Amino acid sequence: MGYLNTFPLSYKVQGLRIVIVGGSEEALNKTRLATKTTAQVVIISRHIEADFSTFAVEIVERGFVPSDLDSTALVFVAEESADADLAKAEARARNIPLNVVDVPAECDFYTPSIVDRAPLTVAISTEGDAPVLARLVRARIEAMLSPRIGKIASLAGGLRHKVESLIHDGAARRRYYEALVTSPAVEAAEALGQGAEAAEALLAQHASTTQASGVVWLIGAGPGSEDLLTLRAQRLLQEADVIVHDQLVPDAVVQMGRRDAEQISVGKAKGHHSFSQAQINTLIVRLANEGKKVARLKSGDPMVFGRAGEEIAALRKAGVPYQIVPGVSAALAAAADTATPVTLRKVSSGFIMATAHGADDSDLTHWAALAQSGLTLALYMGKSIASDVAARLIAHGAAPSLPVGIVVNAGRADKSTYSGTLAALAANTIAFSDGPAIIFVGEAVEAGDWANAAQLAGMSFKVA
Ligand code: SAH
């Protein structure tokens, strides 16, 4: 993530002045923005040219004097003149934030694009780099937010004390507010001017229901890019009180949860000492029994090498409600990254997801036969033992010439790929880059796009 040169914040202007020096179209643009606030907006210029008549502003048609900046929160300068220079100097002397229109170097602050649903404000800034992008993003957010959402936010603000006295549990209170701002009934009532009544009715309903019990969502986080998360996963992450995640889930995905959600890393990276599976089972049951909504976030798909079986059994045994949200498993991300159809008409009639780690001779005999018959193997947890597994597959009857493709960090920006044959992998001496890997073995691998892949042991299958 990059760093910002500006700090986004909401700045208090109530009871203060916003002074705009200038009388032209640019000054009018800033007036439009400034009059969205309750500040007293003052326009100062010897030349008032634009039509300010539709705005509640004070027009001062004269030169600038220093006392113009008394009780002033912000200054905009939108003309080039001796008055403007005086105003800039005075603003700087008084440490009042200054914006000089179209002169970024002289600005203490920039004005973002604003989606205005007062009191809800969404400010979009590109620090001046890409105003067009800011406008596009703004249009999307405009479309997303009901015009009445601001009114409903005000209702929520007005009800705060009542909510606190009626609902004592923090999580339950949050559930009420969530229900309030997403309720179609409240929105419809608000449109008729009866939002307050509807909000109170909803409050009464929430106050009377006993505290909701906890739940565990087993959520697939996908291979590690935020945009390979499902919409459902994203929504539930936003709702969760606690996020219990594996080491393999990148921070960027964990951070898609609520900012105040508790985050617990339960490790489970190879070679890391961390929570045992039994401890994880106990933890998620305990959290749910405390009434919390628990997001158990696993890499890829939770049902594929995710120890979901054990966690589900523990939840069932404890009578904790649960739900499973699928995710993009690493092998599918690897197939996408390399345009490899893991099933392919007349070549591969199926696709095996298997763990290389802990595979015994009978597993290998079995897979060698499947790979020989055309099926594609996707081996998980095999990077550190890749050569060994390749040699054993050959020993158990797989053809040394079978195509192999490896994707490290599938589905992520920093992926790397390798290709060759089973024999090349068995003899491989090149070091793979850091990160988890999927190893594909089978005829269908050749149909993928491995043109940019590093060659295993200098041998390769032909690229179509
Ligand atoms: N539930 C996960 C698998 C967890 S087991 C899933 O469905 O993807 C851990 C193994 O998954 C790793 O050893 C590696 O083989 C594979 N893996 C996980 N993330 C990966 C990624 N981004 N790229 C390649 N392989 C990955």
Side-chain angles (χ1 to χ4, degrees):
M1 236 174 24
Y3 291 94
L4 298 170
N5 291 316
T6 59
F7 188 82
L9 46 78
S10 295
Y11 189 69
K12 267 194 193 166
V13 295
Q14 185 182 26
L16 296 169
R17 290 150 57 98
I18 296 180
V19 172
I20 301 175
V21 178
S24 63
E25 210 51 42
E26 274 101 55
L28 191 66
N29 287 337
K30 296 303 175 192
T31 302
R32 206 165 281 128
L33 202 63
T35 51
K36 286 180 187 293
T37 70
T38 55
Q40 184 193 356
V41 179
V42 185
I43 317 291
I44 302 171
S45 178
R46 294 178 201 264
H47 312 283
I48 302 292
E49 290 151 6
D51 177 10
F52 292 88
S53 63
T54 53
F55 295 103
V57 293
E58 184 187 329
I59 307 270
V60 182
E61 197 160 3
R62 59 155 166 74
F64 174 84
V65 294
S67 63
D68 284 335
L69 297 194
D70 291 352
S71 304
T72 296
L74 294 172
V75 178
F76 290 94
V77 170
E79 70 177 25
E80 284 176 40
S81 63
D83 287 312
D85 293 340
L86 266 180
K88 287 183 210 171
E90 186 64 22
R92 290 195 181 111
R94 295 191 186 209
N95 283 320
I96 302 174
L98 169 69
N99 177 289
V100 182
V101 175
D102 288 337
V103 192
E106 289 194 76
C107 288
D108 299 319
F109 68 93
Y110 306 122
T111 48
S113 274
I114 288 180
V115 180
D116 175 15
R117 300 285 190 279
L120 174 73
T121 325
V122 184
I124 302 142
S125 158
T126 58
E127 297 198 332
D129 284 347
V132 173
L133 175 63
R135 270 200 296 281
L136 284 176
V137 171
R138 180 184 152 187
R140 288 202 197 171
I141 297 176
E142 285 282 2
M144 228 171 77
L145 294 176
S146 134
R148 278 176 287 278
I149 198 74
K151 294 265 176 46
I152 295 172
S154 297
L155 287 178
L159 279 171
R160 226 180 45 231
H161 294 297
K162 209 158 188 177
V163 173
E164 271 165 29
S165 69
L166 287 174
I167 307 180
H168 302 290
D169 175 60
R173 237 182 258 158
R174 202 173 51 241
R175 277 193 293 277
Y176 166 67
Y177 287 122
E178 277 170 12
L180 177 64
V181 296
T182 55
S183 159
V186 172
E187 197 190 323
E190 178 56 42
L192 302 171
Q194 291 156 7
E197 291 83 342
E200 297 229 15
L202 191 66
L203 176 57
Q205 194 185 321
H206 272 249
S208 66
T209 49
T210 47
Q211 190 191 325
S213 70
V215 60
V216 175
W217 298 307
L218 269 72
I219 300 178
S225 297
E226 299 103 293
D227 61 350
L228 284 176
L229 209 65
T230 63
L231 295 175
R232 185 179 301 174
Q234 190 188 4
R235 177 168 57 76
L236 293 178
L237 273 179
Q238 286 285 323
E239 271 183 54
D241 303 304
V242 194
I243 300 173
V244 179
H245 61 93
D246 290 350
Q247 192 92 30
L248 261 183
V249 179
D251 200 45
V253 175
V254 178
Q255 297 313 331
M256 294 183 77
R258 273 203 347 261
R259 231 190 309 174
D260 57 340
E262 187 185 350
Q263 299 176 358
I264 305 177
S265 167
V266 290
K268 287 260 207 124
K270 201 165 177 299
H272 260 259
H273 201 75
S274 52
F275 285 58
S276 69
Q277 188 58 49
Q279 285 171 321
I280 296 173
N281 298 348
T282 310
L283 174 71
I284 57 178
V285 167
R286 174 172 63 73
L287 291 169
N289 282 338
E290 287 169 6
K292 297 194 171 123
K293 294 182 181 170
V294 183
R296 172 73 180 101
L297 194 57
K298 292 165 177 290
S299 79
D301 183 275
M303 310 305 258
V304 178
F305 304 123
R307 311 271 310 248
E310 284 123 293
E311 293 177 24
I312 293 167
L315 294 168
R316 276 199 195 129
K317 189 162 163 237
V320 171
Y322 62 89
Q323 188 192 333
I324 295 149
V325 181
V328 176
S329 194
L332 300 171
D337 281 342
T338 55
T340 300
V342 288
T343 65
L344 185 61
R345 249 170 72 82
K346 303 220 167 85
V347 177
S348 168
S349 62
F351 154 56
I352 320 293
M353 294 156 122
T355 168
H357 183 79
D360 62 20
D361 283 348
S362 90
D363 292 329
L364 285 152
T365 310
H366 198 146
W367 301 344
L370 292 170
Q372 260 329 104
S373 70
L375 273 70
T376 308
L377 303 181
L379 299 176
Y380 286 68
M381 293 173 274
K383 197 174 84 171
S384 59
I385 49 168
S387 293
D388 178 49
V389 170
R392 286 168 71 199
L393 280 171
I394 294 172
H396 287 85
S401 60
L402 271 181
V404 167
I406 299 177
V407 184
V408 178
N409 290 321
R412 303 183 188 180
D414 61 349
K415 64 177 158 285
S416 21
T417 54
Y418 306 83
S419 67
T421 60
L422 210 46
L425 180 57
N428 183 54
T429 48
I430 63 168
F432 298 117
S433 37
D434 281 347
I438 289 293
I439 303 172
F440 287 125
V441 182
E443 295 294 349
V445 175
E446 214 169 349
D449 176 2
W450 299 86
N452 295 319
Q455 299 301 310
L456 295 168
M459 297 168 65
S460 71
F461 54 82
K462 60 181 189 310
V463 176

